[in-house]
Amino acid sequence: AQQDLDEAILIYTRLNNKKGLGDCYTTYGRMYNLLANYKLALIYSNLALDISKQLKNERDIAVCDKNIGIVYFSEGQLSTALDYYYKALFIDIKVHDKHAAAANYNDIAIVLESMQVYPKALEYYKTSLKMFQQAKDIHGVGTVYENIAELLIAQKNYDRAINYLTKSIKIAQNQDDKDGMSSVYTDLGLCYSQRGQVKLALRYLDTSLQIARKYKIVYNEAYALIAFANV
């Protein structure tokens, strides 16, 4: 991916195509966030943001704001992440991009959940879920199902969480979503361990860890290892 992006950057630079260059920087930022290299993720995401502002492309500015928010969330800087998510959401609402707005409602809910503001987080999740369902975005629906489940796990409501995770894993499998599958398997492992079904829990965690390692999803690998330790 790095080799292809570097080649694309050279071509767009020769063509003086700033939009293409910005898109490459955006992809680089996402890649480095997945690899947990947050310093480089922020550098490339901010380069993309600068270009989007130069071109006065509001939709791209919103995408960049969201991506920067994701990196700050990954680093645990929740307040800063929330600021960027809200910036993106305001633009999405302004330009009537309902799909992007649904994703941002979900992301804001995740931060609120991390801050243990559970009622408000659930409200945002439900708004996001409704918008994804209206847009018939199956991947988005599956993601929100998992996130609602994690909110229920935080409140020790494991049976209800398993119901949502079962819906989420079916969607992830149908879409061959490796990131989603790995994450959901870890959540299922945590739930079943709390129900005393340790062998089943360990099977789910092992599956999660294998997927994360094979596809180099470092964040999920760490999440699965922490879950193993807890079990």
Side-chain angles (χ1 to χ4, degrees):
Q2 188 178 24
Q3 289 174 357
D4 287 342
L5 281 168
D6 286 342
E7 188 175 342
I9 286 169
L10 284 173
I11 294 169
Y12 283 131
T13 301
R14 285 201 299 268
L15 295 172
N16 195 28
N17 185 327
K18 289 186 176 180
K19 176 70 170 70
L21 199 57
D23 289 343
C24 288
Y25 290 148
T26 293
T27 305
Y28 245 134
R30 287 173 174 160
M31 184 183 77
Y32 280 121
N33 182 66
L34 279 174
L35 293 171
N37 189 331
Y38 302 128
K39 183 179 179 180
L40 283 177
L42 281 175
I43 287 172
Y44 279 104
S45 296
N46 276 298
L47 284 171
L49 179 61
D50 289 342
I51 289 175
S52 297
K53 286 180 176 178
Q54 289 172 26
L55 298 175
K56 297 179 180 179
N57 187 321
E58 289 191 301
R59 287 177 184 265
D60 283 351
I61 291 170
V63 169
C64 293
D65 282 335
K66 176 183 173 175
N67 288 339
I68 292 170
I70 290 171
V71 179
Y72 280 118
F73 175 75
S74 298
E75 286 190 313
Q77 298 188 47
L78 302 183
S79 296
T80 306
L82 207 56
D83 288 341
Y84 277 96
Y85 286 151
Y86 273 118
K87 284 180 185 178
L89 180 61
F90 292 148
I91 295 173
D92 293 336
I93 293 171
K94 178 184 174 184
V95 299
H96 306 292
D97 190 339
K98 292 183 179 179
H99 186 273
N104 272 307
Y105 275 117
N106 174 68
D107 290 334
I108 290 169
I110 292 172
V111 180
L112 293 172
E113 180 188 338
S114 299
M115 293 176 167
Q116 298 185 348
V117 188
Y118 297 137
K120 194 68 176 177
L122 184 59
E123 180 184 322
Y124 273 78
Y125 279 139
K126 287 182 176 178
T127 300
S128 175
L129 181 61
K130 184 178 180 181
M131 294 176 78
F132 276 132
Q133 287 171 333
Q134 289 173 344
K136 296 182 180 179
D137 183 332
I138 303 301
H139 182 268
V141 169
T143 299
V144 180
Y145 279 151
E146 182 191 3
N147 292 339
I148 292 174
E150 290 181 350
L151 179 65
L152 293 167
I153 291 171
Q155 296 175 297
K156 303 186 187 305
N157 195 334
Y158 303 111
D159 290 340
R160 284 190 64 202
I162 288 172
N163 288 335
Y164 277 101
L165 290 171
T166 301
K167 294 178 183 178
S168 182
I169 196 63
K170 287 179 181 177
I171 292 172
Q173 289 169 339
N174 288 338
Q175 299 220 319
D176 197 29
D177 175 9
K178 305 301 185 185
D179 186 7
M181 287 163 64
S182 175
S183 181
V184 176
Y185 281 134
T186 295
D187 287 334
L188 282 166
L190 288 170
C191 285
Y192 281 112
S193 72
Q194 291 294 334
R195 289 175 50 167
Q197 296 172 263
V198 178
K199 288 185 178 180
L200 180 58
L202 291 173
R203 281 206 301 272
Y204 277 123
L205 294 181
D206 186 58
T207 302
S208 171
L209 189 60
Q210 286 183 39
I211 294 171
R213 282 179 170 166
K214 181 177 180 180
Y215 294 96
K216 297 181 174 59
I217 310 171
V218 182
Y219 185 93
N220 287 2
E221 184 178 355
Y223 186 42
L225 289 169
I226 292 167
F228 261 116
N230 287 331
V231 175

